[in-house]
Amino acid sequence: MKKNKLAIIGRGNVATHLANAFRCDMTMNITIVNPRTLEDMVWDADICLISVSDNAIPLVASALKDFKGIIAHTSGSTPMSVLNICNKNYGVFYPLQTFSKDKHIDYSRIPIFIEAANDFTKNALISLAGIMTQKVYEADSDKRSVLHLASVFACNYVNHLWSIADSILKDEGLNIEILYPLIEETVDKIHRCTPANAQTGPAIRSDSTTISHHINMLRSQPQLQNLYKILALDINPKCIPNN
Amino acid sequence: MKKNKLAIIGRGNVATHLANAFRCDMTMNITIVNPRTLEDMVWDADICLISVSDNAIPLVASALKDFKGIIAHTSGSTPMSVLNICNKNYGVFYPLQTFSKDKHIDYSRIPIFIEAANDFTKNALISLAGIMTQKVYEADSDKRSVLHLASVFACNYVNHLWSIADSILKDEGLNIEILYPLIEETVDKIHRCTPANAQTGPAIRSDSTTISHHINMLRSQPQLQNLYKILALDINPKCIPNN
């Protein structure tokens, strides 16, 4: 049986996890390629995924001008057009997930968004994604940018707020663990109603006594105090008196 | 068998859920009291919990001056001292959770923080909390304020970021559901390492191309654009060039 050859260029978390996700498939031959040297590049691969930092995609693409197979990057915010210097079969293979090294993920639940310069490439990338997950969608570069922007708020910035909570608790000898039941319930709620309808807390109920108390508690950390106010006012523009 | 009488003053989510949590206990007789009229007040109750908005606690407390039992409020940010106008057996019974109407919660996982003016009250409130959960802790008013402030960031503000993500996606005919696997993975990560160590995304990796692209996408929503920048810079002060 002839195996399909897949080259994954990158050394980061996305490249590593994509390789893991496909490794169980017996019809595929996976090679991870060092993006700095390209020394392991499989020049006769059927598909090549570029999983490098957004800034580095154009550089890698230009080094792959002579590659004859299908070529796709995996970035949320990079337009497909950066690959138009390659052969005509280019596209995007965007897994909407946060990947960490040494952290197992259920790949079958990850949505993958496909964009392609032609139908041949589109069908090949959809088939590839289908090996990993049933959640395969098409999204052009604008839609993918919107998905990525939303995921920055929903994942990266949310994680940062948990980091802030953790640091606030550390001053009292506590840490984020004490908030796990609260955090799990917060997540559970948005599976039952929209986040807008799930909103609770001092800002939404215009509890100015508590808000003033919190703002005062943060007086020695002006940057955090400012963030507290901005988020409170974004939830409810009238929640801080005389603002 | 003489039943212990518990009066819960309030008509909101906390009052409703506390009543539900204790209702299964056969040794207790629970009464929910309307805070505006106090017409159902059980004046010979053993314990009375005041679960009203923070601003209203002093008013309710002053109406309960003649109550002889143990009296406690359930607020995160209100000092215990607001109850010192009541009889000497006063304290705080603070469940660290977000409560919504008609939403089942596993009460046994909720941490409850107790503060009391004397040991008799403390022991009674700890026993009461022990009916509901094994996670019973002591916390003075300062510690409780810190817990509440942290929970505003970890729950209320996190939910607001999900609300923002939802609204960004709506413009593309999508909604927050597409992000569920991402959100669940984001939560899962902080159970394995600190949120600070779990941080991913364009800000932490100084991906200025993506950040500039996102800032440009938000140009018609200056308030949201400002929030994006502030959170990016709070994660990594050097992530926005020429800022």
Side-chain angles (χ1 to χ4, degrees):
Chain A
M1 187 177 74
K2 182 180 171 296
K3 286 196 174 188
N4 290 310
K5 291 182 184 170
L6 173 65
I8 301 175
I9 301 181
R11 298 189 300 180
N13 296 334
V14 179
T16 308
H17 276 280
L18 287 177
N20 284 344
F22 291 122
R23 217 156 245 153
C24 303
D25 188 90
M26 291 301 160
T27 67
M28 307 244 293
N29 212 324
I30 322 284
T31 306
I32 293 190
V33 180
N34 184 329
R36 292 184 196 271
T37 62
L38 292 183
E39 59 184 348
D40 299 321
M41 182 58 193
V42 185
W43 289 98
D44 65 342
D46 301 282
I47 301 180
C48 173
L49 298 180
I50 304 176
S51 286
V52 299
S53 68
D54 293 15
N55 301 340
I57 294 172
L59 194 69
V60 173
S62 71
L64 293 175
K65 272 182 191 160
D66 297 329
F67 178 69
K68 305 285 185 228
I70 288 169
I71 192 158
H73 73 65
T74 62
S75 159
S77 281
T78 306
M80 179 173 71
S81 57
V82 299
L83 299 181
N84 65 12
I85 55 171
C86 302
N87 84 67
K88 68 181 194 299
N89 297 326
Y90 60 89
V92 179
F93 184 98
Y94 173 53
L96 181 52
Q97 186 51 283
T98 169
F99 297 100
S100 299
K101 228 146 210 165
D102 304 324
K103 168 83 176 67
H104 174 76
I105 292 183
D106 177 0
Y107 299 113
S108 71
R109 297 194 62 230
I110 300 176
I112 293 182
F113 294 88
I114 301 295
E115 182 178 13
N118 55 52
D119 283 348
F120 169 75
T121 305
K122 185 173 83 180
N123 293 334
L125 292 177
I126 287 175
S127 293
L128 182 67
I131 293 172
M132 197 173 136
T133 176
Q134 291 192 314
K135 297 184 174 177
V136 186
Y137 308 93
E138 289 183 54
D140 64 17
S141 293
D142 285 346
K143 188 170 194 167
R144 197 171 57 253
S145 281
V146 166
L147 284 161
H148 191 222
L149 175 62
S151 73
V152 167
F153 279 101
C155 166
N156 308 143
Y157 287 176
V158 159
N159 183 75
H160 183 59
L161 295 188
W162 287 333
S163 182
I164 288 170
D166 195 37
S167 69
I168 289 170
L169 291 169
K170 282 217 171 77
D171 296 338
E172 280 290 334
L174 297 163
N175 69 48
I176 193 88
E177 280 182 36
I178 197 79
L179 302 183
Y180 285 171
L182 176 68
I183 288 170
E184 284 156 29
E185 176 65 16
T186 307
V187 176
D188 203 37
K189 272 187 187 178
I190 63 158
H191 286 69
R192 288 157 193 268
C193 64
T194 65
N197 287 333
Q199 191 65 52
T200 58
I204 194 73
R205 66 172 186 263
S206 295
D207 180 349
S208 56
T209 307
T210 299
I211 293 170
S212 299
H213 181 48
H214 287 167
I215 289 171
N216 186 47
M217 286 171 75
L218 295 169
R219 65 192 176 281
S220 67
Q221 299 172 79
Q223 193 170 322
L224 195 50
Q225 188 187 53
N226 184 45
L227 180 59
Y228 182 98
K229 284 185 196 171
I230 283 172
L231 285 164
L233 290 169
D234 208 49
I235 291 171
N236 179 358
K238 293 178 179 171
C239 74
I240 303 181
N242 309 316
N243 190 74
Chain B
M1 187 180 73
K2 183 179 170 293
K3 285 198 176 188
N4 290 310
K5 290 182 183 170
L6 173 65
I8 300 175
I9 300 180
R11 298 189 299 182
N13 296 335
V14 180
T16 308
H17 276 279
L18 287 178
N20 284 343
F22 291 122
R23 218 157 244 152
C24 303
D25 188 88
M26 291 301 159
T27 66
M28 307 244 293
N29 211 324
I30 321 282
T31 306
I32 293 190
V33 180
N34 185 328
R36 294 185 195 270
T37 61
L38 291 184
E39 60 185 348
D40 298 320
M41 181 58 193
V42 185
W43 289 97
D44 64 342
D46 301 281
I47 301 180
C48 173
L49 297 181
I50 304 176
S51 286
V52 298
S53 68
D54 292 15
N55 301 341
I57 295 172
L59 194 69
V60 172
S62 71
L64 294 175
K65 272 182 190 159
D66 296 330
F67 178 70
K68 304 287 186 226
I70 287 169
I71 192 158
H73 73 64
T74 61
S75 159
S77 281
T78 306
M80 179 174 73
S81 57
V82 300
L83 299 180
N84 65 11
I85 54 169
C86 301
N87 84 69
K88 68 183 193 300
N89 297 326
Y90 60 88
V92 178
F93 183 99
Y94 173 53
L96 180 52
Q97 187 50 285
T98 169
F99 297 100
S100 300
K101 230 147 209 162
D102 304 323
K103 168 80 176 67
H104 174 75
I105 293 183
D106 178 0
Y107 299 114
S108 71
R109 297 193 62 229
I110 300 176
I112 294 182
F113 294 88
I114 301 296
E115 182 179 14
N118 55 52
D119 283 349
F120 169 75
T121 304
K122 185 174 83 179
N123 292 334
L125 292 176
I126 287 175
S127 293
L128 181 67
I131 293 172
M132 199 174 135
T133 176
Q134 291 191 315
K135 297 185 175 178
V136 186
Y137 308 92
E138 289 182 54
D140 63 18
S141 293
D142 286 347
K143 189 171 193 167
R144 197 171 57 253
S145 282
V146 167
L147 283 160
H148 191 222
L149 175 61
S151 74
V152 167
F153 280 100
C155 166
N156 307 142
Y157 287 176
V158 159
N159 182 74
H160 183 60
L161 295 188
W162 287 332
S163 182
I164 288 170
D166 194 37
S167 70
I168 288 170
L169 291 169
K170 282 215 171 79
D171 296 338
E172 281 290 334
L174 296 164
N175 70 48
I176 192 86
E177 279 181 38
I178 198 79
L179 302 182
Y180 284 169
L182 176 68
I183 288 170
E184 283 155 30
E185 177 65 15
T186 308
V187 176
D188 203 36
K189 274 188 186 179
I190 62 158
H191 287 69
R192 289 156 194 269
C193 63
T194 65
N197 288 333
Q199 190 66 52
T200 59
I204 194 71
R205 66 171 184 262
S206 295
D207 180 348
S208 57
T209 307
T210 299
I211 293 171
S212 299
H213 181 49
H214 287 167
I215 289 172
N216 186 45
M217 286 171 75
L218 295 170
R219 63 192 177 282
S220 68
Q221 300 172 78
Q223 193 170 320
L224 195 50
Q225 189 188 54
N226 184 44
L227 180 59
Y228 181 97
K229 283 184 196 171
I230 284 172
L231 285 163
L233 290 169
D234 208 47
I235 291 171
N236 179 356
K238 292 177 179 171
C239 74
I240 303 181
N242 309 318
N243 190 74

